[in-house]
Amino acid sequence: GLLDLDQGFADEIVPSAGTDLKRLLAPLLALFAILAATCFFGWALWTRGFGKATPAERAYIKLNRLGLLAGFRRPPHYTPLEYARLVGKAVPVVADGALSVAWSFAATRYGDLDYPQESIEEIESAWRSIRGGLLVRVARRLVPLGRAPAAT
């Protein structure tokens, strides 16, 4: 009857699961390796220069790097506070955090000040508030979703 199929014919129509898995395994492993390498090199580039930096310097470096990805190149003649105001004017949700990071950076860099642990936690908190707002801006630049490009 209809249910009595020749086994050879059935194997051609429905290959075994092991064969499919073997065929998919190599490309999946290659994709995973590429993804892992991309993440590693991205992390290495992102953290480059953080070795001996103070918490305020790290936060200011990250502000500059993420700001650049968000479309805010820091003009060479801008002070840290001027750059923070530029970013804060374009993305108001990060204005307070950017100014806090810029003040902390300027104080440690040019005032040669060390900060107690509470201030370090404030810097890290300010950075977290900046990161979220700028990541949204970066995403909007990458995926415009029908919006007109924002002026930078």
Side-chain angles (χ1 to χ4, degrees):
L2 290 175
L3 297 177
D4 295 332
L5 295 175
D6 179 25
Q7 185 62 31
F9 179 72
D11 286 343
E12 290 176 20
I13 295 174
V14 183
S16 70
T19 307
D20 285 344
L21 182 61
K22 287 177 186 176
R23 221 178 305 159
L24 289 176
L25 192 58
L28 285 176
L29 286 175
L31 181 62
F32 177 76
I34 290 169
L35 182 62
T38 301
C39 289
F40 173 77
F41 286 115
W43 172 83
L45 284 173
W46 180 255
T47 59
R48 195 185 86 188
F50 287 178
K52 294 184 179 183
T54 67
E57 289 170 330
R58 280 194 301 272
Y60 186 68
I61 291 168
K62 291 189 275 187
L63 169 63
N64 276 269
R65 290 179 182 173
L66 195 53
L68 180 63
L69 293 175
F72 310 115
R73 181 179 301 273
R74 186 184 62 80
H77 60 278
Y78 269 34
T79 66
L81 291 174
E82 288 171 327
Y83 183 65
R85 286 187 191 106
L86 172 98
V87 172
K89 184 177 179 185
V91 185
V93 72
V94 305
D96 291 340
L99 283 173
S100 177
V101 165
W103 272 111
S104 297
F105 169 74
T108 58
R109 179 65 153 212
Y110 305 114
D112 198 30
L113 299 177
D114 289 328
Y115 281 94
Q117 186 62 33
E118 298 82 31
S119 295
I120 292 171
E121 291 167 4
E122 289 173 13
I123 292 167
E124 291 171 353
S125 174
W127 165 245
R128 285 190 298 273
S129 72
I130 295 166
R131 181 182 57 201
L134 287 182
L135 283 174
V136 168
R137 174 68 184 242
V138 169
R140 286 184 179 159
R141 285 188 75 205
L142 293 175
V143 184
L145 295 176
R147 292 185 197 87
T152 55

